[in-house]
Amino acid sequence: MKAIAITQKLPLDHPDCFVEIDLPDPVPGPRDLLVRVKGVAVNPVDYKQRQARKQEETEPRILGWDAAGIVEAVGDEVKHFRRGDQVYYAGDVTRPGCNAELQVVDERLAAKKPASLDFAAAAALPLTAITAWECFFERLGLSAGDLKEGKGKHLLIIGGAGGVGSIGIQIATALTGYTVIATASRPETVEWCRRMGAHRVIDHSIDWTAELDKRGIAAVDYIACFSDTTGHWANMAKAIIPQGKITAIVESPTVPDIGLMKPKSVTFSWEFMFTRSMFQTPDMIAQHDLLKEVATLVDAGRIFSTMKENGGILTPASLAQAHLDLEAGKMIGKRAFDTGW
């Protein structure tokens, strides 16, 4: 199979940072799907994995953990899919990624893709949808589909125009009754958050607790931080209600002062959507189930793909540019690609 891989640690402006190579076709395990990849998308985990590569490593590494494609073969123990099914998934960061013609993925991490989306638009959804879903309905303990539960209460989403924030706003407004407040700092990101369905948008580049005060909001019931955890820590401690809950996805270079949360007995939890696949947890099937729900919501017109840009055919150059733009922190929504394979 053909794949776009990193074979050595090089800067993004080096012509060989990503190279197209030929590798043996992967063989599916008992619960694996062998998928012909037709669409992929990029996420911050991609460049973090690239940056983490050791200088002396020479084995090819295939990145990419957002894909949609067609099932070519199934393992002996597969229960939910058959050859020819169109699927979408994020997969497992400990296995080779999706920037390749073929990929194997555990069936418990995949679902049939939304029928109303093409492969690139579908590939923009899995990793971020799983992350947002787990944040809201597992880490924060909200009830999916209970539109009465959050009436008169507030859910703050920090980083509303990013990949997770974009789908998170949609999921929260479609499946809960909370007033969704998103943060954004540029006119184009503010407009994007409103397009995603945020009820209110505040500026996170300034003291956003003052922005809440201006709107008569003394405190918020839940916070999902999809941006700089450490940078927003003090304001989150100030803005959360007593006995409120906060979840975050961005690792911190320094340990935040957890003591700030003690006076209010705040619950804080990390979210990492690869936890289930990395540790082969007994409930791995939960990601299959939630992606099925997301596909149903998409096909019913209740949420839509966050692909803001189709980057065309995936090439080493287009992939390097996507990593560059992701690292700059200016990408809105998601960028996805057709593989051309």
Side-chain angles (χ1 to χ4, degrees):
M1 69 172 185
K2 293 189 181 303
I4 296 175
I6 51 174
T7 58
Q8 52 188 318
K9 189 166 187 175
L10 295 169
L12 283 171
D13 59 359
H14 193 287
D16 293 328
C17 179
F18 290 99
V19 293
E20 188 171 301
I21 60 175
D22 290 310
L23 293 172
D25 292 353
V27 177
R31 297 211 64 176
D32 285 339
L33 311 176
L34 177 65
V35 179
R36 181 163 295 277
V37 180
K38 306 299 288 184
V40 301
V42 290
N43 294 283
V45 67
D46 298 14
Y47 72 73
K48 291 175 184 178
Q49 289 292 310
R50 192 197 81 247
Q51 291 173 344
R53 185 179 177 90
K54 293 182 174 61
Q55 195 71 43
E56 65 271 15
E57 289 182 63
T58 57
E59 278 293 312
R61 179 86 194 277
I62 304 170
L63 306 178
W65 291 276
D66 248 342
I70 303 170
V71 176
E72 291 226 334
V74 300
D76 294 340
E77 298 176 15
V78 167
K79 302 174 182 177
H80 303 286
F81 301 92
R82 60 184 179 182
R83 179 181 169 85
D85 284 343
Q86 298 185 358
V87 296
Y88 75 142
Y89 55 88
D92 180 350
V93 75
T94 67
R95 303 180 77 176
C98 60
N99 296 331
E101 278 188 278
L102 297 168
Q103 184 185 18
V104 288
V105 60
D106 191 299
E107 66 162 342
R108 291 168 289 182
L109 305 176
K112 291 181 181 178
K113 81 169 184 66
S116 57
L117 297 182
D118 62 26
F119 288 108
L125 287 174
L127 186 147
T128 52
I130 293 169
T131 300
W133 190 286
E134 291 182 351
C135 277
F136 299 151
F137 306 124
E138 297 182 24
R139 311 299 171 232
L140 296 180
L142 309 186
S143 299
D146 186 348
L147 301 183
K148 296 180 180 179
E149 177 195 24
K151 291 297 183 182
K153 297 181 178 181
H154 299 89
L155 167 64
L156 175 65
I157 295 176
I158 300 175
V164 181
S166 298
I167 193 63
I169 291 169
Q170 293 186 61
I171 290 172
T173 54
L175 296 180
T176 79
Y178 289 87
T179 296
V180 176
I181 306 168
T183 76
S185 60
R186 294 175 280 149
E188 59 269 31
T189 55
V190 169
E191 179 56 33
W192 178 261
C193 288
R194 288 177 176 148
R195 182 183 165 198
M196 296 301 104
H199 300 114
R200 299 186 181 186
V201 184
I202 61 174
D203 188 348
H204 59 225
S205 68
I206 58 177
D207 180 2
W208 52 260
T209 60
E211 293 282 285
L212 290 175
D213 290 339
K214 288 178 186 177
R215 291 160 175 79
I217 302 169
V220 296
D221 301 87
Y222 297 96
I223 299 175
C225 184
F226 300 147
S227 184
D228 176 11
T229 306
T230 301
H232 292 294
W233 190 257
N235 274 346
M236 289 195 290
K238 182 179 177 182
I240 194 71
I241 64 167
Q243 303 184 84
K245 293 183 179 181
I246 299 172
T247 188
I249 66 171
V250 180
E251 59 270 28
S252 301
T254 57
V255 179
D257 180 6
I258 196 72
L260 289 178
M261 302 296 178
K262 182 177 180 180
K264 293 182 178 178
S265 297
V266 173
T267 299
F268 174 79
S269 60
W270 288 111
E271 158 59 20
F272 186 51
M273 59 79 51
F274 291 116
T275 296
R276 284 185 161 113
S277 55
M278 286 178 69
F279 296 97
Q280 295 287 295
T281 60
D283 62 350
M284 276 176 61
I285 195 70
Q287 292 193 350
H288 164 79
D289 293 338
L290 76 84
L291 286 175
K292 283 175 61 178
E293 290 294 324
V294 170
T296 299
L297 290 167
V298 170
D299 287 337
R302 297 180 65 190
I303 64 176
F304 52 90
S305 174
T306 54
M307 180 182 72
K308 189 173 188 295
E309 178 187 358
N310 185 319
I313 298 297
L314 185 70
T315 65
S318 65
L319 186 55
Q321 185 62 52
H323 276 235
L324 189 67
D325 293 342
L326 273 172
E327 288 183 39
K330 299 300 183 182
M331 193 176 289
I332 300 173
K334 295 291 291 288
R335 182 178 302 170
F337 299 88
D338 295 298
T339 62
W341 291 317

